[in-house]
Amino acid sequence: MKMRAFTLLEAIIALSLTITLVLIPTLTWHHCEKKITTTLFKRELISNWESLRQTCYVNNCNGHLKTGAHYQSLDFIVIQNGHLVTKSIKVPAHLKMARCCDIFIRKRHAVTPTTLSFVDRQTNTIMHFKIQMGWGNILYEEV
């Protein structure tokens, strides 16, 4: 009985099917990973802002939200009992901050209205975090 080997065309077809079956889940995974990172960043930003507001209210002190080095982080700063307390969150690599921010919470809890904007480099969507005047409620909208 004569042994028959794969032809070059059969080998190329089998290899391309295998590569396609491997790449589809990988590309989907990267998309999901970026979406999850963005969602976690949004939740962490809102949570830390609310925590900063409450700390300033309870301790009757000033608070500050500022942009970190090279727009890669956001720093939440408050002085409690004479000690400087800083919490930083990292801006995900696929998000670009539209502009620098400096938001102050004064002792009388007045907040200057400001909008923090981030652009997603992959989808070109813009995320706005609007900090309202007065007590500083934060609203989120996506454009």
Side-chain angles (χ1 to χ4, degrees), residues 49-50 53 103-105 109-116 129-140:
W49 174 255
E50 295 297 331
R53 275 185 16 182
I103 305 167
F104 293 95
I105 301 176
H109 315 297
V111 177
T112 307
T114 308
T115 301
L116 297 172
F129 294 91
K130 295 182 178 183
I131 297 176
Q132 296 180 326
M133 187 176 209
W135 202 177
N137 293 327
I138 191 166
L139 301 173
Y140 171 76

Side-chain angles (χ1 to χ4, degrees), residues 72-91:
Q72 294 301 313
S73 66
L74 292 172
D75 301 328
F76 298 84
I77 303 165
V78 68
I79 298 175
Q80 286 181 299
N81 303 325
H83 300 288
L84 184 70
V85 180
T86 303
K87 173 140 181 152
S88 294
I89 60 172
K90 187 174 183 254
V91 177

